[in-house]
Amino acid sequence: MANGKVLVTGGAGYIGSHAVLALLDAGHEVVVVDNLVTGFDWAVDSRASLVVADIADDAAVRAAIREHGVYAILHFAGSVVVPESVSDPLKYYRNNTAASRSLIESAVAEGVKHFIFSSTAATYGIPEVVPVREDSPKRPINPYGMSKLMTEMMLADVAAAHPINYAALRYFNVAGADPKGRSGQSTAGATHLIKVAVEAATGKRTHVGVYGTDFATPDGTGVRDYIHVSDLADAHVHALDLLVADPSQSHTMNAGYGRGYSVLEVLDAVDRATNQTIDRRLEGRRAGDPDALIADNSAILAKLPWRPAHADLDQIVADALGWERTLAERAG
């Protein structure tokens, strides 16, 4: 274990809070930097330190790096709603690209050696071949995907010029919640299918929209590769070990299971978990939705000792549902 702490940006948010848990459970010391605009201070495990600041605030970030002896950064902070990125692209280039540039500059200036970036399958756009590999063409079709791809490009250039290495993990569809009930997806107005479906199952929503039934898939609805958030968090811990073991190498890896489920299969799983039927409303297709988006995960399986522990749709749904009920109790 390296000396010093791991800084987690966005550690009060959905994926970041799970990464904090995974790091702490593995014995790392953690400091979180989060502006709490979409995150929650209660989502940060008490074993971690919390600095309330924006990652674009160079002075605050550099002070945190120095004070805590930070040797690695896991970067989750940013904006993640694809339709909003289309209507407000400048917000995404500010929060994702420009703010990441500030953070990377702070990391280099303060001598941080390792950087893990929360990237996305949206960098691929609409893939020509599925499952999609890391060397597939990167053609983002929205500002969200482009803002993340630009950050990947910055990291590659910076790693070539400075003594820092990085891992960019391209997430597929992240879902579920900590199986121990310590964290989950808490943001209001979420757009991810499993979150929306469990909100409908617990009475927070009246129905679930099914956007398109004419895709080139077995049941006509879009197919996605859903990865349990705790498996994804665990992958970050292994990626950090990889960066520390060989500081001369950087890595870009898909984070997914390599198999997909359709919208209807997901809704059926939620119905199974609750013994009730969600109201499904068939809507038109959304612009830019690919028929199927599934990871070729052979690279991450080859490079890391990581093996998914929660690669089961029913468990992903059960954990998401359990968290949704916890949130309802918290609100009630």
Side-chain angles (χ1 to χ4, degrees):
M1 194 79 59
N3 291 323
K5 289 189 181 180
V6 178
L7 189 155
V8 178
T9 74
Y14 174 40
I15 302 173
S17 65
H18 288 82
V20 169
L21 290 170
L23 286 164
L24 291 166
D25 291 349
H28 292 273
E29 292 185 275
V30 177
V31 55
V32 170
V33 172
D34 198 301
N35 62 12
L36 301 182
V37 170
T38 56
F40 302 91
D41 55 4
W42 51 260
V44 178
D45 189 281
S46 61
R47 294 170 289 170
S49 308
L50 171 61
V51 176
V52 180
D54 195 285
I55 61 164
D57 181 344
D58 295 350
V61 170
R62 293 184 189 195
I65 291 171
R66 285 196 297 271
E67 180 185 340
H68 293 277
V70 169
Y71 72 95
I73 292 175
L74 272 63
H75 176 32
F76 299 93
S79 299
V80 299
V81 181
V82 170
E84 183 191 46
S85 80
V86 176
S87 61
D88 191 1
L90 289 173
K91 173 180 177 179
Y92 279 68
Y93 290 121
R94 180 186 68 234
N95 289 356
N96 292 355
T97 312
S100 293
R101 197 209 73 84
S102 295
L103 176 68
I104 296 165
E105 185 171 51
S106 294
V108 169
E110 296 297 332
V112 174
K113 299 298 185 197
H114 314 293
F115 196 103
I116 297 181
F117 177 52
S118 158
S119 193
T120 170
T123 55
Y124 298 114
I126 299 180
E128 294 164 6
V129 178
V130 176
V132 63
R133 289 170 27 134
E134 288 84 357
D135 58 1
S136 299
K138 263 63 73 183
R139 300 192 193 107
I141 59 167
N142 49 60
Y144 169 66
M146 185 60 80
S147 71
K148 292 285 195 173
L149 182 59
M150 290 166 77
T151 302
E152 283 192 24
M153 294 163 75
M154 280 193 288
L155 283 168
D157 290 340
V158 169
H162 298 282
I164 188 170
N165 67 338
Y166 72 91
L169 299 189
R170 293 184 183 140
Y171 308 165
F172 282 67
N173 285 51
V174 188
D178 175 52
K180 296 179 182 174
R182 296 174 295 177
S183 191
Q185 191 168 6
S186 308
T187 38
T191 56
H192 296 92
L193 176 63
I194 290 178
K195 172 71 170 175
V196 168
V198 296
E199 285 185 347
T202 53
K204 245 189 206 176
R205 294 176 187 252
T206 57
H207 66 280
V208 175
V210 178
Y211 297 98
T213 53
D214 59 347
F215 289 98
T217 60
D219 66 16
T221 62
V223 169
R224 298 292 181 268
D225 188 334
Y226 295 92
I227 178 171
H228 194 294
V229 65
S230 294
D231 277 339
L232 180 61
D234 190 43
H236 287 75
V237 178
H238 288 298
L240 177 57
D241 292 341
L242 181 67
L243 293 181
V244 171
D246 185 354
S248 69
Q249 295 295 313
S250 293
H251 307 272
T252 300
M253 296 174 282
N254 287 334
Y257 290 152
R259 77 146 297 175
Y261 293 97
S262 73
V263 173
L264 295 182
E265 286 176 316
V266 168
L267 296 180
D268 286 346
V270 177
D271 288 349
R272 281 196 301 278
T274 58
N275 290 315
Q276 62 188 47
T277 304
I278 297 169
D279 182 14
R280 308 167 184 200
R281 306 233 179 125
L282 304 183
E283 316 266 1
R285 284 173 70 149
R286 292 177 294 200
D289 268 356
D291 296 320
L293 192 56
I294 299 169
D296 179 327
N297 66 357
S298 51
I300 196 169
L301 293 175
K303 290 182 176 186
L304 303 182
W306 176 77
R307 294 297 178 267
H310 311 287
D312 177 79
L313 180 62
D314 287 313
Q315 188 192 344
I316 293 172
V317 166
D319 290 340
L321 189 61
W323 180 252
E324 206 54 48
R325 289 170 172 155
T326 298
L327 285 179
E329 288 167 16
R330 181 186 286 273

